[in-house]
Amino acid sequence: MSDRFPPRNADDLRALVQEQPLAWIVSGVPGAQQATPLPVQLVCDAEGTPRTLLGHFARNNPQVKALAASSRATVLLVGPHGYISPSWMHDRTWGPTWNYASVMFDVEIQLCDTRADADRLLVGLVTQMEANRPAAWSAEEMGARYEKLVTGIVGFEARILATRSCFKLGQDERDEVFADILRALDIKDQAPLAKWMRRFAESRSPQALPASQPPPRALDPEIKRFIDDVIAKGRELTAGRDLSWPERREICELTRAPWTRGGPVIAATRNVVAQTSAGPVRLRIYDPAPGHSKPTFVFMHGGGWSLFSVDTHDRVMREFAHRGGMAVVGVDYDLSPEVRYPTALNQVVAVVHWLHEQGRTLGLDGDRIAIGGDSAGGNLSMGAALRLRDAGHPNLVKAILSIYGGSTPDCSPASRQRYGTEQDMLTANEVDTFWDNYIGHLNDRRDPYAATAYAPLHGLPPVFLVIAECDILAEQNLHMAGRLLEAGVQVQAKVYPGAPHSFIEAVAVSRVANEAVDDGVAFLRSVLLRERGARVHVA
């Protein structure tokens, strides 16, 4: 194997084996060779040098007996790869090629045939493969079936004698050609190869890394002040720390606290626990006119179903209550990953029923309920309305205000590249993490009450979509607007220029955020108060 394109360091080898662990274990002399495809784990020493490969054979594999007699073998692994077409290049005189990453280990295999070895190697592999998956599985869940599995394997430790690798990822391409390749891989959604090519392009000039097309818009400067402050404080508080989710929530509360201060004073604010069909749910009720029946806006905060609370969104909810002259009920739903789908959605649906039945005792009109929220809250709002419709209660909710809500875990390569970078308020990696936290079963990633982009949308109440222009979720919000129109739903959609994800939280300093609140209030009043002249349009 060529050494022309070596790894930059041992981390490249370790990452390659971890991302693509299936390898060929080849042993025997020419003409009598045996080969088995098996997943392996790479173990490195303290300096990062690869030392051992771990794995296991099926006990009845004839290669086990052969390796017991002669322990030398070769382990072959091919990582991300793909054909590179000259049709992608502006310079079409360029020839076709194939980019790939691969590694070959010469090893000496020691079979490990004790029960402790089998447990160690199986659990280690499962732990690696299940890491960061929705509702990660563990071997203990097999119960009695595990015993049958573990007795049918023979583990091995393969001492690495030599390593040969080839990371042919465009290193000899001109910058403009390299940029053409990356653009094409993004368009063709060949993310693994594109990721590894970018990994090996750190020393290239900026011209080699193509900007998104069309280029991203600059953020509104007033909103940017909020974004910069929150990001800077978050990085300061998290630097060098491996945080649990409860610890991350504490950081979020601290970074948001200064931005919740000030604003309108509400006549009555109370925290209650609603005893609902989904169990007790914590609510915060903002009542601008105690003693008078008034419409109710049920608000779900954002945070990827994993972060934030009624405290982080206190200012936003007070603004809606004050400007709208309506009660706002903040739902402090249970968070992921400790609690997964559909628990939070069940709680929202149950709260709507509870307010319909009990709202009058709190001075709230249970017959004039709107639901909404930002980001994950927008998703919960749409999902709850769909659930209520399908359960035969389509009229319990009179309106939906979705503020840059998510409707699918699948963000396009273009949206990820344009507004989902590590410099953006909501990154593509965060979108993936939040959905993995929320969804407990793989099939639920297409459940129409969770991924509402896949739901039939007929029969919903009027909807207002607040769309942040500079947001990775803008694309799916625009798609949702079109699907709602197609389904015959009264929909109003407005794109706010220069606004990133989370911009509604900048209401203390941003004219754009204040405009969005005013627009949302006007929409809610037009439906809940049935004001004359209310019009539905797409802006």
Side-chain angles (χ1 to χ4, degrees):
M1 185 180 296
S2 171
D3 292 326
R4 184 180 173 192
F5 301 107
R8 300 167 308 157
N9 50 54
D11 283 341
D12 290 330
L13 290 169
R14 182 164 41 213
L16 184 65
V17 177
Q18 189 165 3
E19 292 180 19
Q20 180 54 64
L22 191 66
W24 282 100
I25 316 298
V26 183
S27 61
V29 297
Q33 288 179 316
Q34 294 176 299
T36 305
L38 293 173
V40 295
Q41 287 184 280
L42 178 63
V43 178
C44 299
D45 62 20
E47 286 71 41
T49 304
R51 293 301 184 192
T52 309
L53 290 168
L54 306 178
H56 59 271
F57 288 96
R59 184 171 294 280
N60 59 2
N61 188 327
Q63 197 171 5
V64 172
K65 184 176 181 181
L67 285 167
S70 178
S71 61
R72 292 293 295 270
T74 300
V75 179
L76 307 173
L77 185 146
V78 177
H81 59 89
Y83 174 71
I84 308 300
S85 171
S87 68
W88 301 344
M89 320 301 179
H90 286 83
D91 178 4
R92 292 177 68 94
T93 66
W94 208 257
T97 188
W98 203 282
N99 279 5
Y100 61 90
S102 62
V103 61
M104 177 188 302
F105 299 102
D106 293 326
V107 300
E108 186 170 24
I109 289 181
Q110 177 183 350
L111 298 176
C112 305
D113 196 12
T114 69
R115 172 58 185 267
D117 290 324
D119 288 335
R120 171 174 59 91
L121 294 167
L122 269 177
V123 171
L125 180 62
V126 167
T127 300
Q128 173 181 297
M129 299 307 300
E130 290 291 324
N132 301 317
R133 291 178 183 269
W137 180 85
S138 65
E140 289 81 0
E141 295 179 66
M142 289 188 72
R145 296 180 65 185
Y146 179 80
E147 292 302 318
K148 182 177 180 180
L149 172 66
V150 77
T151 57
I153 69 167
V154 176
F156 68 82
E157 295 184 1
R159 183 168 64 91
I160 296 172
L161 306 175
T163 302
R164 290 162 284 170
S165 61
C166 185
F167 288 78
K168 184 178 180 293
L169 299 167
Q171 295 92 323
D172 55 353
E173 314 288 11
R174 299 197 310 263
D175 282 352
E176 65 271 22
V177 173
F178 189 87
D180 283 342
I181 295 172
L182 283 182
R183 288 190 190 96
L185 292 175
D186 286 336
I187 291 169
K188 291 171 64 63
D189 201 13
Q190 292 184 244
L193 181 56
K195 184 184 83 169
W196 275 85
M197 287 185 65
R198 286 188 169 93
R199 181 183 180 120
F200 273 71
E202 293 176 349
S203 61
R204 282 183 176 268
S205 69
Q207 289 73 28
L209 299 173
S212 60
Q213 297 293 333
R217 282 279 297 270
L219 296 187
D220 176 272
E222 292 174 339
I223 302 175
K224 191 173 185 298
R225 174 183 163 192
F226 160 74
I227 299 296
D228 288 347
D229 179 77
V230 169
I231 290 178
K233 287 181 178 175
R235 287 175 177 169
E236 178 184 343
L237 292 170
T238 60
R241 299 173 62 189
D242 184 14
L243 300 175
S244 66
W245 282 102
E247 290 170 330
R248 296 184 196 190
R249 292 172 197 138
E250 292 177 9
I251 299 297
C252 288
E253 298 286 334
L254 291 172
T255 59
R256 257 64 178 188
W259 297 95
T260 65
R261 297 171 188 152
V265 176
I266 305 303
T269 300
R270 48 189 159 169
N271 296 306
V272 302
V273 176
Q275 300 299 329
T276 76
S277 58
V281 182
R282 302 174 301 278
L283 306 177
R284 179 172 296 171
I285 302 174
Y286 300 84
D287 190 342
H292 301 278
S293 180
K294 61 196 69 66
T296 304
F297 177 36
V298 182
F299 186 93
M300 277 64 69
H301 64 81
W305 310 279
S306 302
L307 302 170
F308 302 161
S309 67
V310 292
D311 291 327
T312 61
H313 284 63
D314 175 75
R315 173 72 181 264
V316 172
M317 291 188 285
R318 283 188 285 118
E319 296 287 352
F320 274 104
H322 173 72
R323 300 185 199 189
M326 66 188 78
V328 174
V329 178
V331 181
D332 212 9
Y333 55 89
D334 290 340
L335 299 178
S336 302
E338 295 90 337
V339 176
R340 297 181 184 270
Y341 176 80
T343 299
L345 181 60
N346 291 343
Q347 291 174 331
V348 175
V349 171
V351 165
V352 172
H353 280 292
W354 185 83
L355 288 169
H356 178 67
E357 297 162 2
Q358 305 292 331
R360 186 173 301 176
T361 64
L362 301 169
L364 313 179
D365 188 343
D367 292 323
R368 289 187 292 170
I369 296 175
I371 59 177
D374 66 315
S375 193
N379 170 275
L380 289 168
S381 303
M382 193 69 72
L386 290 166
R387 280 270 300 273
L388 289 164
R389 178 201 67 184
D390 294 346
H393 306 289
N395 297 318
L396 282 187
V397 170
K398 307 300 184 186
I400 303 170
L401 173 59
S402 177
I403 304 170
Y404 40 80
S407 61
T408 170
D410 303 316
C411 298
S412 73
S415 66
R416 288 171 173 267
Q417 185 185 28
R418 193 178 185 202
Y419 290 124
T421 71
E422 292 303 313
Q423 286 69 50
D424 288 299
M425 188 60 177
L426 177 65
T427 71
N429 288 335
E430 287 174 327
V431 172
D432 295 339
T433 297
F434 289 145
W435 276 97
D436 286 348
N437 276 356
Y438 182 51
I439 296 301
H441 190 283
L442 190 63
N443 288 344
D444 289 340
R445 293 176 76 88
R446 292 293 182 273
D447 187 309
Y449 303 124
T452 56
Y454 302 103
L457 301 175
H458 63 277
L460 290 178
V463 177
F464 181 24
L465 300 174
V466 172
I467 303 175
E469 180 189 31
C470 305
D471 180 8
I472 187 174
L473 302 186
E475 180 182 77
Q476 52 186 264
N477 273 268
L478 290 166
H479 180 258
M480 177 62 75
R483 290 204 58 233
L484 287 164
L485 284 172
E486 184 180 38
V489 177
Q490 295 183 18
V491 57
Q492 178 177 339
K494 184 172 180 179
V495 178
Y496 293 84
H501 199 80
S502 297
F503 83 95
I504 202 76
E505 299 175 62
V507 67
V509 295
S510 165
R511 284 168 289 185
V512 175
N514 276 279
E515 179 185 344
V517 173
D518 287 339
D519 291 340
V521 165
F523 164 74
L524 293 172
R525 288 179 61 88
S526 72
V527 178
L528 297 178
L529 302 182
R530 297 178 174 84
E531 293 180 348
R532 290 180 59 84
R535 293 180 297 174
V536 177
H537 65 280
V538 175

